Amino acid sequence: MKEKISAALTARYTKLGFEAKVISEVAHCLAKKVIYEEDIDGAIQDVKGLLEVFQNHAATRV
């Protein structure tokens, strides 16, 4: 399930510029909660705000 979540995260949030390791860690956390494949879209939508905050914080530090 982690691989499918990772692929979905990469496809949706690639424009935020996260490294593969970050996406992999987020996918790992989501894989603990997501049981069914049809729940992947909802789960990655739920982390959108969090990822945007991380990206904005990283951008201000650079």
Side-chain angles (χ1 to χ4, degrees), residues 20-31:
K21 180 177 176 145
V22 174
I23 295 294
S24 178
E25 288 300 318
V26 173
H28 177 75
C29 291
L30 290 176

Side-chain angles (χ1 to χ4, degrees), residues 30-58:
L30 290 176
K32 294 177 183 177
K33 306 276 187 218
V34 176
I35 298 171
Y36 303 107
E37 192 170 338
E38 59 266 12
D39 296 332
I40 291 174
D41 284 337
I44 64 171
Q45 183 63 33
D46 289 345
V47 298
K48 178 182 181 182
L50 182 63
L51 291 174
E52 288 174 343
V53 168
F54 289 162
Q55 192 275 337
N56 287 334
H57 179 70

